[in-house]
Amino acid sequence: MTSEEVKLNVEKALAEIRPFLISDGGDISLVSIEDDRLVKVQLEGACVGCSVNTMTLKSGVEMTIKKYVPQIEQVINVEG
């Protein structure tokens, strides 16, 4: 999978999970993809400071991204 394909598939994964975040008053944006293995995202809105955002990131976002791009090893949130 090329770097461009990785980015497109990560964006597809974020588009899949975004409605759930928006329904809770939050959102997510892609910050960067490093070495086609590490995805950096930024949780926004109500997701910032939410007590379950780590669980959302690992159980929801990371799992969905790995479904689209199995080679991704980790997804991390970067603070704005």
Short mmCIF file of all heavy atoms in Angstrom, two decimals:
data_model
loop_
_atom_site.label_atom_id
_atom_site.label_comp_id
_atom_site.label_asym_id
_atom_site.label_seq_id
_atom_site.Cartn_x
_atom_site.Cartn_y
_atom_site.Cartn_z
N MET A 1 0.85 -1.18 0.00
CA MET A 1 0.00 0.00 0.00
C MET A 1 0.90 1.24 0.00
O MET A 1 1.79 1.36 0.84
CB MET A 1 -0.90 -0.03 1.25
CG MET A 1 -2.01 0.97 1.25
SD MET A 1 -3.12 0.83 2.70
CE MET A 1 -3.98 -0.69 2.39
N THR A 2 0.67 2.13 -0.94
CA THR A 2 1.49 3.35 -1.01
C THR A 2 1.10 4.31 0.10
O THR A 2 0.03 4.18 0.71
CB THR A 2 1.30 4.06 -2.36
OG1 THR A 2 -0.05 4.56 -2.42
CG2 THR A 2 1.57 3.14 -3.55
N SER A 3 1.95 5.29 0.34
CA SER A 3 1.65 6.30 1.36
C SER A 3 0.35 7.03 1.05
O SER A 3 -0.42 7.35 1.96
CB SER A 3 2.81 7.30 1.47
OG SER A 3 3.94 6.66 2.00
N GLU A 4 0.11 7.28 -0.23
CA GLU A 4 -1.14 7.97 -0.61
C GLU A 4 -2.35 7.08 -0.32
O GLU A 4 -3.38 7.56 0.17
CB GLU A 4 -1.09 8.34 -2.10
CG GLU A 4 -2.25 9.20 -2.54
CD GLU A 4 -2.40 10.52 -1.81
OE1 GLU A 4 -1.39 11.11 -1.38
OE2 GLU A 4 -3.55 10.98 -1.64
N GLU A 5 -2.22 5.78 -0.59
CA GLU A 5 -3.32 4.85 -0.28
C GLU A 5 -3.55 4.76 1.22
O GLU A 5 -4.70 4.68 1.68
CB GLU A 5 -3.02 3.47 -0.85
CG GLU A 5 -3.09 3.41 -2.37
CD GLU A 5 -2.57 2.09 -2.94
OE1 GLU A 5 -1.58 1.55 -2.39
OE2 GLU A 5 -3.15 1.63 -3.92
N VAL A 6 -2.47 4.77 1.99
CA VAL A 6 -2.59 4.74 3.46
C VAL A 6 -3.38 5.96 3.91
O VAL A 6 -4.34 5.85 4.69
CB VAL A 6 -1.20 4.70 4.14
CG1 VAL A 6 -1.31 4.97 5.63
CG2 VAL A 6 -0.53 3.35 3.89
N LYS A 7 -3.00 7.14 3.41
CA LYS A 7 -3.69 8.38 3.81
C LYS A 7 -5.16 8.34 3.42
O LYS A 7 -6.03 8.68 4.23
CB LYS A 7 -3.01 9.59 3.18
CG LYS A 7 -3.61 10.92 3.62
CD LYS A 7 -2.82 12.09 3.03
CE LYS A 7 -3.23 13.41 3.62
NZ LYS A 7 -4.54 13.86 3.25
N LEU A 8 -5.46 7.91 2.21
CA LEU A 8 -6.86 7.83 1.76
C LEU A 8 -7.67 6.88 2.64
O LEU A 8 -8.81 7.17 3.01
CB LEU A 8 -6.93 7.39 0.30
CG LEU A 8 -6.52 8.42 -0.74
CD1 LEU A 8 -6.45 7.78 -2.12
CD2 LEU A 8 -7.51 9.58 -0.76
N ASN A 9 -7.08 5.74 2.99
CA ASN A 9 -7.79 4.77 3.82
C ASN A 9 -7.95 5.24 5.26
O ASN A 9 -8.96 4.96 5.90
CB ASN A 9 -7.12 3.40 3.74
CG ASN A 9 -7.45 2.69 2.44
OD1 ASN A 9 -8.56 2.79 1.93
ND2 ASN A 9 -6.49 1.99 1.89
N VAL A 10 -6.96 5.96 5.78
CA VAL A 10 -7.10 6.54 7.12
C VAL A 10 -8.23 7.57 7.10
O VAL A 10 -9.05 7.61 8.02
CB VAL A 10 -5.76 7.17 7.59
CG1 VAL A 10 -5.98 8.02 8.84
CG2 VAL A 10 -4.73 6.08 7.88
N GLU A 11 -8.29 8.38 6.06
CA GLU A 11 -9.37 9.37 5.94
C GLU A 11 -10.73 8.68 5.87
O GLU A 11 -11.71 9.15 6.46
CB GLU A 11 -9.15 10.26 4.72
CG GLU A 11 -7.98 11.22 4.83
CD GLU A 11 -8.23 12.41 5.75
OE1 GLU A 11 -9.28 12.49 6.43
OE2 GLU A 11 -7.35 13.30 5.77
N LYS A 12 -10.82 7.55 5.16
CA LYS A 12 -12.08 6.79 5.09
C LYS A 12 -12.48 6.30 6.48
O LYS A 12 -13.65 6.34 6.85
CB LYS A 12 -11.94 5.60 4.15
CG LYS A 12 -11.94 5.95 2.68
CD LYS A 12 -11.80 4.68 1.84
CE LYS A 12 -11.53 5.01 0.39
NZ LYS A 12 -11.26 3.78 -0.39
N ALA A 13 -11.50 5.81 7.23
CA ALA A 13 -11.77 5.32 8.58
C ALA A 13 -12.27 6.46 9.47
O ALA A 13 -13.23 6.28 10.24
CB ALA A 13 -10.51 4.69 9.18
N LEU A 14 -11.63 7.62 9.37
CA LEU A 14 -12.06 8.77 10.18
C LEU A 14 -13.46 9.21 9.78
O LEU A 14 -14.27 9.58 10.63
CB LEU A 14 -11.07 9.92 10.04
CG LEU A 14 -9.67 9.66 10.64
CD1 LEU A 14 -8.77 10.88 10.44
CD2 LEU A 14 -9.74 9.28 12.11
N ALA A 15 -13.77 9.14 8.48
CA ALA A 15 -15.11 9.50 8.02
C ALA A 15 -16.17 8.55 8.59
O ALA A 15 -17.30 8.95 8.86
CB ALA A 15 -15.16 9.50 6.49
N GLU A 16 -15.78 7.29 8.79
CA GLU A 16 -16.70 6.31 9.35
C GLU A 16 -16.99 6.60 10.82
O GLU A 16 -18.13 6.47 11.28
CB GLU A 16 -16.12 4.90 9.21
CG GLU A 16 -17.03 3.82 9.74
CD GLU A 16 -16.45 2.42 9.56
OE1 GLU A 16 -15.98 2.11 8.45
OE2 GLU A 16 -16.48 1.65 10.53
N ILE A 17 -15.98 7.00 11.56
CA ILE A 17 -16.16 7.20 13.00
C ILE A 17 -16.61 8.62 13.35
O ILE A 17 -17.21 8.85 14.40
CB ILE A 17 -14.88 6.82 13.78
CG1 ILE A 17 -15.24 6.54 15.23
CG2 ILE A 17 -13.80 7.86 13.64
CD1 ILE A 17 -14.25 5.70 15.96
N ARG A 18 -16.37 9.56 12.47
CA ARG A 18 -16.69 10.98 12.73
C ARG A 18 -18.14 11.22 13.16
O ARG A 18 -18.38 11.97 14.12
CB ARG A 18 -16.32 11.83 11.52
CG ARG A 18 -16.44 13.31 11.78
CD ARG A 18 -15.83 14.12 10.64
NE ARG A 18 -14.38 14.20 10.84
CZ ARG A 18 -13.47 13.75 9.98
NH1 ARG A 18 -13.84 13.20 8.84
NH2 ARG A 18 -12.19 13.87 10.25
N PRO A 19 -19.15 10.60 12.51
CA PRO A 19 -20.54 10.86 12.93
C PRO A 19 -20.81 10.52 14.40
O PRO A 19 -21.60 11.20 15.06
CB PRO A 19 -21.38 9.97 12.00
CG PRO A 19 -20.51 9.79 10.79
CD PRO A 19 -19.10 9.76 11.31
N PHE A 20 -20.15 9.49 14.91
CA PHE A 20 -20.33 9.12 16.32
C PHE A 20 -19.74 10.18 17.24
O PHE A 20 -20.32 10.52 18.27
CB PHE A 20 -19.69 7.75 16.60
CG PHE A 20 -20.29 6.64 15.78
CD1 PHE A 20 -19.62 6.15 14.67
CD2 PHE A 20 -21.51 6.10 16.11
CE1 PHE A 20 -20.17 5.14 13.89
CE2 PHE A 20 -22.08 5.09 15.34
CZ PHE A 20 -21.40 4.61 14.23
N LEU A 21 -18.59 10.72 16.85
CA LEU A 21 -17.96 11.77 17.65
C LEU A 21 -18.78 13.05 17.60
O LEU A 21 -18.99 13.71 18.62
CB LEU A 21 -16.53 12.03 17.16
CG LEU A 21 -15.57 10.84 17.27
CD1 LEU A 21 -14.23 11.19 16.63
CD2 LEU A 21 -15.38 10.41 18.70
N ILE A 22 -19.26 13.38 16.41
CA ILE A 22 -20.06 14.60 16.24
C ILE A 22 -21.35 14.52 17.05
O ILE A 22 -21.79 15.50 17.66
CB ILE A 22 -20.34 14.87 14.75
CG1 ILE A 22 -19.03 15.29 14.05
CG2 ILE A 22 -21.42 15.92 14.55
CD1 ILE A 22 -19.12 15.39 12.55
N SER A 23 -21.94 13.32 17.11
CA SER A 23 -23.20 13.17 17.87
C SER A 23 -22.99 13.43 19.35
O SER A 23 -23.93 13.76 20.07
CB SER A 23 -23.79 11.78 17.65
OG SER A 23 -23.03 10.78 18.30
N ASP A 24 -21.75 13.30 19.82
CA ASP A 24 -21.42 13.60 21.22
C ASP A 24 -20.80 14.98 21.38
O ASP A 24 -20.25 15.30 22.44
CB ASP A 24 -20.45 12.53 21.78
CG ASP A 24 -21.16 11.21 22.04
OD1 ASP A 24 -22.38 11.22 22.28
OD2 ASP A 24 -20.48 10.17 22.01
N GLY A 25 -20.83 15.78 20.32
CA GLY A 25 -20.30 17.15 20.41
C GLY A 25 -18.82 17.26 20.13
O GLY A 25 -18.20 18.28 20.43
N GLY A 26 -18.22 16.22 19.59
CA GLY A 26 -16.78 16.23 19.31
C GLY A 26 -16.50 16.09 17.83
O GLY A 26 -17.39 16.14 17.00
N ASP A 27 -15.24 15.93 17.52
CA ASP A 27 -14.80 15.70 16.15
C ASP A 27 -13.36 15.20 16.20
O ASP A 27 -12.77 15.10 17.28
CB ASP A 27 -14.90 16.98 15.31
CG ASP A 27 -15.01 16.68 13.82
OD1 ASP A 27 -14.83 15.51 13.40
OD2 ASP A 27 -15.28 17.62 13.05
N ILE A 28 -12.81 14.90 15.05
CA ILE A 28 -11.44 14.41 14.96
C ILE A 28 -10.84 14.88 13.65
O ILE A 28 -11.54 14.98 12.64
CB ILE A 28 -11.40 12.87 15.08
CG1 ILE A 28 -9.98 12.36 15.27
CG2 ILE A 28 -12.07 12.21 13.89
CD1 ILE A 28 -9.90 10.90 15.70
N SER A 29 -9.56 15.19 13.68
CA SER A 29 -8.87 15.55 12.43
C SER A 29 -7.54 14.82 12.37
O SER A 29 -6.91 14.54 13.39
CB SER A 29 -8.68 17.06 12.32
OG SER A 29 -7.90 17.54 13.40
N LEU A 30 -7.13 14.53 11.15
CA LEU A 30 -5.85 13.86 10.91
C LEU A 30 -4.74 14.91 10.98
O LEU A 30 -4.81 15.93 10.31
CB LEU A 30 -5.87 13.18 9.54
CG LEU A 30 -4.57 12.50 9.10
CD1 LEU A 30 -4.20 11.37 10.05
CD2 LEU A 30 -4.72 11.99 7.68
N VAL A 31 -3.74 14.65 11.80
CA VAL A 31 -2.59 15.55 11.91
C VAL A 31 -1.48 15.08 10.99
O VAL A 31 -0.97 15.84 10.16
CB VAL A 31 -2.09 15.65 13.37
CG1 VAL A 31 -0.83 16.49 13.47
CG2 VAL A 31 -3.19 16.22 14.27
N SER A 32 -1.09 13.80 11.12
CA SER A 32 -0.03 13.27 10.27
C SER A 32 -0.02 11.75 10.33
O SER A 32 -0.62 11.13 11.19
CB SER A 32 1.34 13.81 10.71
OG SER A 32 1.66 13.33 12.00
N ILE A 33 0.70 11.18 9.36
CA ILE A 33 0.96 9.74 9.34
C ILE A 33 2.47 9.61 9.18
O ILE A 33 3.04 10.13 8.23
CB ILE A 33 0.24 9.04 8.16
CG1 ILE A 33 -1.26 9.29 8.24
CG2 ILE A 33 0.56 7.54 8.16
CD1 ILE A 33 -2.03 8.82 7.02
N GLU A 34 3.11 8.93 10.12
CA GLU A 34 4.56 8.80 10.11
C GLU A 34 4.96 7.37 9.76
O GLU A 34 4.48 6.43 10.38
CB GLU A 34 5.13 9.21 11.46
CG GLU A 34 4.85 10.68 11.77
CD GLU A 34 5.39 11.11 13.11
OE1 GLU A 34 6.07 10.33 13.80
OE2 GLU A 34 5.11 12.27 13.48
N ASP A 35 5.81 7.24 8.77
CA ASP A 35 6.35 5.94 8.33
C ASP A 35 5.25 4.94 7.96
O ASP A 35 5.46 3.73 8.04
CB ASP A 35 7.26 5.34 9.40
CG ASP A 35 8.43 6.23 9.73
OD1 ASP A 35 8.96 6.88 8.81
OD2 ASP A 35 8.81 6.30 10.92
N ASP A 36 4.08 5.43 7.59
CA ASP A 36 2.93 4.58 7.26
C ASP A 36 2.59 3.61 8.38
O ASP A 36 2.00 2.56 8.15
CB ASP A 36 3.16 3.80 5.95
CG ASP A 36 3.21 4.71 4.72
OD1 ASP A 36 2.70 5.86 4.81
OD2 ASP A 36 3.74 4.28 3.70
N ARG A 37 2.95 3.95 9.62
CA ARG A 37 2.71 3.06 10.76
C ARG A 37 2.09 3.76 11.97
O ARG A 37 1.42 3.15 12.77
CB ARG A 37 4.01 2.39 11.21
CG ARG A 37 4.67 1.60 10.10
CD ARG A 37 5.19 0.29 10.61
NE ARG A 37 5.82 -0.53 9.60
CZ ARG A 37 5.17 -1.26 8.70
NH1 ARG A 37 3.88 -1.26 8.67
NH2 ARG A 37 5.82 -2.00 7.82
N LEU A 38 2.35 5.06 12.11
CA LEU A 38 1.88 5.82 13.27
C LEU A 38 0.98 6.94 12.77
O LEU A 38 1.38 7.75 11.95
CB LEU A 38 3.06 6.42 14.03
CG LEU A 38 2.72 7.41 15.14
CD1 LEU A 38 2.01 6.71 16.29
CD2 LEU A 38 3.97 8.11 15.64
N VAL A 39 -0.25 6.95 13.28
CA VAL A 39 -1.21 7.99 12.90
C VAL A 39 -1.37 8.94 14.08
O VAL A 39 -1.61 8.51 15.21
CB VAL A 39 -2.58 7.37 12.53
CG1 VAL A 39 -3.61 8.46 12.24
CG2 VAL A 39 -2.43 6.44 11.34
N LYS A 40 -1.24 10.24 13.79
CA LYS A 40 -1.48 11.27 14.80
C LYS A 40 -2.77 11.99 14.44
O LYS A 40 -2.94 12.44 13.31
CB LYS A 40 -0.31 12.26 14.85
CG LYS A 40 0.96 11.65 15.38
CD LYS A 40 2.06 12.68 15.51
CE LYS A 40 3.32 12.04 16.08
NZ LYS A 40 4.41 13.03 16.22
N VAL A 41 -3.66 12.04 15.41
CA VAL A 41 -4.94 12.72 15.23
C VAL A 41 -5.11 13.76 16.32
O VAL A 41 -4.38 13.75 17.31
CB VAL A 41 -6.13 11.71 15.28
CG1 VAL A 41 -6.07 10.71 14.13
CG2 VAL A 41 -6.18 10.98 16.61
N GLN A 42 -6.07 14.62 16.12
CA GLN A 42 -6.41 15.59 17.15
C GLN A 42 -7.89 15.49 17.43
O GLN A 42 -8.71 15.70 16.53
CB GLN A 42 -6.04 17.00 16.72
CG GLN A 42 -6.27 18.01 17.84
CD GLN A 42 -5.72 19.39 17.49
OE1 GLN A 42 -5.32 19.65 16.37
NE2 GLN A 42 -5.67 20.25 18.48
N LEU A 43 -8.22 15.12 18.67
CA LEU A 43 -9.61 15.10 19.09
C LEU A 43 -10.03 16.54 19.35
O LEU A 43 -9.25 17.34 19.86
CB LEU A 43 -9.77 14.25 20.35
CG LEU A 43 -9.52 12.76 20.16
CD1 LEU A 43 -9.48 12.05 21.50
CD2 LEU A 43 -10.60 12.14 19.28
N GLU A 44 -11.27 16.86 18.98
CA GLU A 44 -11.74 18.24 19.05
C GLU A 44 -13.08 18.32 19.76
O GLU A 44 -13.75 17.32 19.97
CB GLU A 44 -11.87 18.80 17.62
CG GLU A 44 -10.56 18.76 16.85
CD GLU A 44 -10.74 19.03 15.36
OE1 GLU A 44 -11.89 19.08 14.88
OE2 GLU A 44 -9.71 19.16 14.68
N GLY A 45 -13.48 19.53 20.08
CA GLY A 45 -14.78 19.78 20.70
C GLY A 45 -14.91 19.09 22.04
O GLY A 45 -14.01 19.13 22.87
N ALA A 46 -16.05 18.43 22.24
CA ALA A 46 -16.33 17.77 23.52
C ALA A 46 -15.37 16.63 23.82
O ALA A 46 -15.25 16.21 24.97
CB ALA A 46 -17.77 17.25 23.54
N CYS A 47 -14.66 16.13 22.78
CA CYS A 47 -13.71 15.04 23.01
C CYS A 47 -12.48 15.51 23.80
O CYS A 47 -11.83 14.70 24.46
CB CYS A 47 -13.23 14.46 21.67
SG CYS A 47 -14.52 13.60 20.76
N VAL A 48 -12.18 16.79 23.74
CA VAL A 48 -11.03 17.32 24.47
C VAL A 48 -11.37 17.31 25.96
O VAL A 48 -12.36 17.88 26.39
CB VAL A 48 -10.69 18.76 24.01
CG1 VAL A 48 -9.55 19.34 24.85
CG2 VAL A 48 -10.34 18.78 22.53
N GLY A 49 -10.57 16.62 26.72
CA GLY A 49 -10.78 16.56 28.16
C GLY A 49 -11.85 15.58 28.60
O GLY A 49 -12.12 15.46 29.78
N CYS A 50 -12.47 14.88 27.66
CA CYS A 50 -13.48 13.89 28.02
C CYS A 50 -12.80 12.73 28.74
O CYS A 50 -11.73 12.26 28.33
CB CYS A 50 -14.20 13.40 26.77
SG CYS A 50 -15.36 12.05 27.08
N SER A 51 -13.43 12.24 29.79
CA SER A 51 -12.82 11.18 30.60
C SER A 51 -12.68 9.86 29.86
O SER A 51 -11.87 9.02 30.25
CB SER A 51 -13.61 10.97 31.89
OG SER A 51 -14.92 10.56 31.57
N VAL A 52 -13.43 9.65 28.80
CA VAL A 52 -13.35 8.39 28.06
C VAL A 52 -12.66 8.55 26.71
O VAL A 52 -12.71 7.64 25.89
CB VAL A 52 -14.73 7.71 27.88
CG1 VAL A 52 -15.30 7.30 29.22
CG2 VAL A 52 -15.67 8.58 27.10
N ASN A 53 -11.99 9.68 26.47
CA ASN A 53 -11.40 9.87 25.14
C ASN A 53 -10.27 8.89 24.85
O ASN A 53 -10.06 8.54 23.70
CB ASN A 53 -11.01 11.33 24.87
CG ASN A 53 -9.79 11.81 25.61
OD1 ASN A 53 -9.08 11.05 26.25
ND2 ASN A 53 -9.56 13.11 25.54
N THR A 54 -9.57 8.40 25.87
CA THR A 54 -8.53 7.40 25.63
C THR A 54 -9.16 6.10 25.15
O THR A 54 -8.66 5.46 24.22
CB THR A 54 -7.69 7.16 26.91
OG1 THR A 54 -7.11 8.40 27.30
CG2 THR A 54 -6.59 6.16 26.67
N MET A 55 -10.26 5.73 25.77
CA MET A 55 -10.96 4.52 25.35
C MET A 55 -11.51 4.70 23.93
O MET A 55 -11.42 3.79 23.10
CB MET A 55 -12.10 4.20 26.31
CG MET A 55 -12.77 2.88 26.03
SD MET A 55 -14.11 2.53 27.18
CE MET A 55 -15.37 3.63 26.57
N THR A 56 -12.08 5.87 23.65
CA THR A 56 -12.59 6.16 22.31
C THR A 56 -11.48 6.05 21.29
O THR A 56 -11.63 5.46 20.23
CB THR A 56 -13.21 7.58 22.25
OG1 THR A 56 -14.31 7.63 23.15
CG2 THR A 56 -13.67 7.94 20.86
N LEU A 57 -10.32 6.60 21.63
CA LEU A 57 -9.19 6.59 20.72
C LEU A 57 -8.73 5.17 20.42
O LEU A 57 -8.53 4.79 19.27
CB LEU A 57 -8.04 7.41 21.29
CG LEU A 57 -6.87 7.67 20.35
CD1 LEU A 57 -7.29 8.60 19.22
CD2 LEU A 57 -5.71 8.29 21.10
N LYS A 58 -8.58 4.35 21.45
CA LYS A 58 -8.07 2.98 21.27
C LYS A 58 -9.14 2.03 20.73
O LYS A 58 -8.91 1.30 19.78
CB LYS A 58 -7.51 2.43 22.59
CG LYS A 58 -6.25 3.12 23.04
CD LYS A 58 -5.13 2.92 22.05
CE LYS A 58 -3.91 3.75 22.41
NZ LYS A 58 -2.90 3.74 21.37
N SER A 59 -10.31 2.03 21.35
CA SER A 59 -11.35 1.06 20.98
C SER A 59 -12.10 1.46 19.73
O SER A 59 -12.55 0.59 18.99
CB SER A 59 -12.35 0.90 22.12
OG SER A 59 -11.70 0.47 23.28
N GLY A 60 -12.24 2.73 19.48
CA GLY A 60 -13.00 3.17 18.32
C GLY A 60 -12.12 3.59 17.17
O GLY A 60 -12.11 2.95 16.11
N VAL A 61 -11.35 4.64 17.36
CA VAL A 61 -10.57 5.21 16.28
C VAL A 61 -9.48 4.26 15.80
O VAL A 61 -9.38 3.96 14.61
CB VAL A 61 -9.97 6.57 16.70
CG1 VAL A 61 -9.11 7.15 15.59
CG2 VAL A 61 -11.07 7.56 17.09
N GLU A 62 -8.66 3.77 16.71
CA GLU A 62 -7.54 2.91 16.31
C GLU A 62 -8.05 1.62 15.67
O GLU A 62 -7.53 1.19 14.64
CB GLU A 62 -6.65 2.60 17.51
CG GLU A 62 -5.38 1.86 17.14
CD GLU A 62 -4.40 1.76 18.30
OE1 GLU A 62 -3.67 2.74 18.54
OE2 GLU A 62 -4.38 0.70 18.96
N MET A 63 -9.07 1.03 16.24
CA MET A 63 -9.61 -0.21 15.70
C MET A 63 -10.17 0.01 14.28
O MET A 63 -9.95 -0.81 13.39
CB MET A 63 -10.72 -0.74 16.63
CG MET A 63 -11.23 -2.10 16.26
SD MET A 63 -12.46 -2.68 17.46
CE MET A 63 -13.84 -1.62 17.05
N THR A 64 -10.87 1.12 14.09
CA THR A 64 -11.44 1.41 12.77
C THR A 64 -10.35 1.68 11.74
O THR A 64 -10.40 1.19 10.62
CB THR A 64 -12.41 2.61 12.85
OG1 THR A 64 -13.42 2.31 13.82
CG2 THR A 64 -13.07 2.88 11.50
N ILE A 65 -9.34 2.45 12.14
CA ILE A 65 -8.23 2.72 11.21
C ILE A 65 -7.52 1.42 10.84
O ILE A 65 -7.20 1.19 9.67
CB ILE A 65 -7.25 3.75 11.81
CG1 ILE A 65 -7.91 5.14 11.80
CG2 ILE A 65 -5.93 3.78 11.03
CD1 ILE A 65 -7.10 6.23 12.48
N LYS A 66 -7.28 0.54 11.80
CA LYS A 66 -6.60 -0.73 11.53
C LYS A 66 -7.43 -1.64 10.63
O LYS A 66 -6.88 -2.46 9.91
CB LYS A 66 -6.24 -1.44 12.84
CG LYS A 66 -5.08 -0.81 13.56
CD LYS A 66 -4.75 -1.55 14.84
CE LYS A 66 -3.52 -0.97 15.52
NZ LYS A 66 -3.19 -1.71 16.74
N LYS A 67 -8.75 -1.47 10.66
CA LYS A 67 -9.61 -2.24 9.76
C LYS A 67 -9.34 -1.83 8.31
O LYS A 67 -9.30 -2.68 7.42
CB LYS A 67 -11.07 -1.98 10.14
CG LYS A 67 -12.08 -2.75 9.31
CD LYS A 67 -13.48 -2.58 9.85
CE LYS A 67 -14.02 -1.21 9.48
NZ LYS A 67 -15.41 -1.01 9.89
N TYR A 68 -9.12 -0.56 8.09
CA TYR A 68 -8.84 -0.05 6.75
C TYR A 68 -7.37 -0.19 6.36
O TYR A 68 -7.05 -0.39 5.20
CB TYR A 68 -9.23 1.44 6.66
CG TYR A 68 -10.71 1.67 6.51
CD1 TYR A 68 -11.54 1.73 7.61
CD2 TYR A 68 -11.28 1.84 5.25
CE1 TYR A 68 -12.89 1.96 7.48
CE2 TYR A 68 -12.64 2.06 5.10
CZ TYR A 68 -13.44 2.12 6.23
OH TYR A 68 -14.79 2.33 6.09
N VAL A 69 -6.48 -0.03 7.36
CA VAL A 69 -5.03 -0.06 7.09
C VAL A 69 -4.37 -0.93 8.17
O VAL A 69 -3.91 -0.43 9.19
CB VAL A 69 -4.41 1.37 7.12
CG1 VAL A 69 -2.98 1.34 6.58
CG2 VAL A 69 -5.24 2.37 6.34
N PRO A 70 -4.33 -2.25 7.94
CA PRO A 70 -3.81 -3.17 8.96
C PRO A 70 -2.37 -2.90 9.40
O PRO A 70 -1.98 -3.26 10.51
CB PRO A 70 -3.93 -4.54 8.29
CG PRO A 70 -4.96 -4.37 7.24
CD PRO A 70 -4.84 -2.95 6.77
N GLN A 71 -1.57 -2.26 8.55
CA GLN A 71 -0.17 -2.03 8.91
C GLN A 71 0.02 -0.92 9.95
O GLN A 71 1.10 -0.77 10.51
CB GLN A 71 0.64 -1.68 7.66
CG GLN A 71 0.36 -0.30 7.10
CD GLN A 71 0.72 -0.15 5.64
OE1 GLN A 71 0.38 -1.00 4.82
NE2 GLN A 71 1.43 0.91 5.32
N ILE A 72 -1.03 -0.15 10.23
CA ILE A 72 -0.92 0.90 11.24
C ILE A 72 -0.71 0.24 12.60
O ILE A 72 -1.45 -0.66 12.99
CB ILE A 72 -2.17 1.81 11.26
CG1 ILE A 72 -2.30 2.59 9.95
CG2 ILE A 72 -2.14 2.75 12.45
CD1 ILE A 72 -1.17 3.54 9.63
N GLU A 73 0.30 0.69 13.31
CA GLU A 73 0.64 0.09 14.61
C GLU A 73 0.05 0.87 15.78
O GLU A 73 -0.26 0.28 16.81
CB GLU A 73 2.16 0.04 14.77
CG GLU A 73 2.80 -0.91 13.75
CD GLU A 73 4.32 -0.86 13.75
OE1 GLU A 73 4.90 -0.05 14.49
OE2 GLU A 73 4.93 -1.62 12.96
N GLN A 74 -0.10 2.18 15.63
CA GLN A 74 -0.57 2.97 16.76
C GLN A 74 -1.25 4.24 16.27
O GLN A 74 -0.86 4.82 15.25
CB GLN A 74 0.62 3.33 17.66
CG GLN A 74 0.22 4.02 18.95
CD GLN A 74 1.41 4.30 19.84
OE1 GLN A 74 2.54 4.30 19.38
NE2 GLN A 74 1.15 4.56 21.10
N VAL A 75 -2.25 4.67 17.02
CA VAL A 75 -2.91 5.94 16.78
C VAL A 75 -2.80 6.73 18.07
O VAL A 75 -3.14 6.24 19.15
CB VAL A 75 -4.40 5.74 16.41
CG1 VAL A 75 -5.09 7.09 16.23
CG2 VAL A 75 -4.53 4.91 15.15
N ILE A 76 -2.28 7.95 17.98
CA ILE A 76 -2.15 8.79 19.17
C ILE A 76 -2.83 10.13 18.96
O ILE A 76 -2.93 10.63 17.83
CB ILE A 76 -0.67 8.99 19.58
CG1 ILE A 76 0.12 9.70 18.46
CG2 ILE A 76 -0.01 7.69 19.96
CD1 ILE A 76 1.51 10.13 18.91
N ASN A 77 -3.29 10.70 20.05
CA ASN A 77 -3.91 12.02 20.03
C ASN A 77 -2.86 13.05 20.39
O ASN A 77 -2.11 12.87 21.35
CB ASN A 77 -5.05 12.06 21.06
CG ASN A 77 -5.73 13.40 21.10
OD1 ASN A 77 -6.05 14.00 20.07
ND2 ASN A 77 -5.94 13.92 22.29
N VAL A 78 -2.78 14.09 19.60
CA VAL A 78 -1.89 15.20 19.92
C VAL A 78 -2.73 16.37 20.37
O VAL A 78 -3.78 16.66 19.79
CB VAL A 78 -0.97 15.60 18.74
CG1 VAL A 78 -0.03 14.48 18.40
CG2 VAL A 78 -1.77 15.98 17.50
N GLU A 79 -2.32 17.00 21.44
CA GLU A 79 -3.07 18.14 21.97
C GLU A 79 -2.86 19.35 21.09
O GLU A 79 -1.78 19.56 20.55
CB GLU A 79 -2.61 18.45 23.41
CG GLU A 79 -2.80 17.30 24.38
CD GLU A 79 -4.25 16.96 24.64
OE1 GLU A 79 -5.10 17.88 24.65
OE2 GLU A 79 -4.56 15.78 24.82
N GLY A 80 -3.92 20.13 20.95
CA GLY A 80 -3.85 21.34 20.12
C GLY A 80 -3.17 22.42 20.80
O GLY A 80 -2.32 23.09 20.81
#
